[in-house]
Amino acid sequence: MRLYEHEFGRFTYSYRHRYKLNFSVGAEYAQRKTLFNSTRYTWFQPEGNELFANRPANIESPIPLTAGNAFTTQIGVAYQPWMRYYKFNGERKPENPDSPEFRLNWNAGWTDIGESSTDFHHLEVGFKTAAQIGVRATFNLELEAGTFLSGETVPFADFKHFNGGLTELAPINLTGTYRLLDYYQYSTAESYAGAFAYINFRKLLLTQFPLIRFAGLQENLFVNHLKTEASPH
C-alpha cells in the first residue's frame, strides 16, 4: 500500500426516494503532496524483506504520484426498479433489498479552478444483484464498466483504482474486491470492465457433515475478472 498527503474540503449531498432511487452529488477541492520515506528503520524486518519507496508501480503511469491542486465533482445514481415493500407499524420497509440494482457514476476534474491541475471526465456504469439457488446456495453478481471520455490531465489519484485483497487482515466485501490483484498495477485512466461472482453454499463438500456445518465453517466460490487496455487478458 502507498500513501500521499491529501488536505481537502468536501461537500456531499445524498437523497433516497422510497428505497428504489438513490442520488448523490459532491464536490471537493484538495491539495495533494507526494510523501517520501524519511527513515529506513522498521520494527519488523524478516529476512529477505526490504523497505520500498512510497511510489506505487503502475503499467500506464511511470511517475504515478505528483503534487498539485485538484477540484473534482461527483454525481451518482443507483436504481432498483423491482424493489418491493412491506409495512411494519406504519413504516415502509424493503422486502427484497438484494433485488437488481443499476448505477451510474460520473466523476470530473476541472482545471483553472483554484489552480486545479485536473482535467478529465470519468463515466462508470454498474449492476449488482443476488439470488437464491434453491435452498442450498446464494448467488451474488456484480458487474462494472467505465471509461474516461476525456483525459487531458488525470492525476494518478483520480485513476480508476480497483480494490485488491493483498491485506490479509482487512475486511473484504463479498463482491467488488479482487482477491489476487495488486493494488495499483492495473489502475487505469482508460476503458475497463470487471466482473465479480460469489456463491455461498449451505452444503457442498465438508459442510455435508453437520458437525462441521454447525461449527460455522462455510464453503464459498469466488470468480473475479478484470479487463483494462493494459491488462494481459
Side-chain angles (χ1 to χ4, degrees), residues 12-26:
T12 59
Y13 172 78
S14 60
Y15 172 75
R16 182 178 67 182
H17 180 67
R18 294 188 175 181
Y19 293 99
K20 280 189 174 184
L21 178 66
N22 289 276
F23 172 79
S24 64
V25 62

Side-chain angles (χ1 to χ4, degrees), residues 87-163:
K87 283 191 174 182
F88 180 75
N89 290 336
E91 183 179 354
R92 185 191 298 263
K93 294 183 178 294
E95 181 180 333
N96 55 334
D98 293 327
S99 67
E101 177 185 270
F102 302 88
R103 62 178 175 85
L104 173 66
N105 295 321
W106 174 65
N107 300 322
W110 306 95
T111 188
D112 296 331
I113 299 180
E115 299 182 348
S116 173
S117 59
T118 59
D119 185 9
F120 66 90
H121 293 275
H122 173 201
L123 184 67
E124 180 179 270
V125 295
F127 171 79
K128 181 170 64 174
T129 189
Q132 292 289 328
I133 305 177
V135 297
R136 292 183 175 272
T138 303
F139 175 70
N140 294 265
L141 175 67
E142 183 171 351
L143 306 173
E144 67 176 10
T147 188
F148 284 75
L149 302 177
S150 63
E152 296 297 329
T153 306
V154 188
F156 187 70
D158 297 305
F159 275 38
K160 170 61 180 181
H161 300 287
F162 306 100
N163 292 330

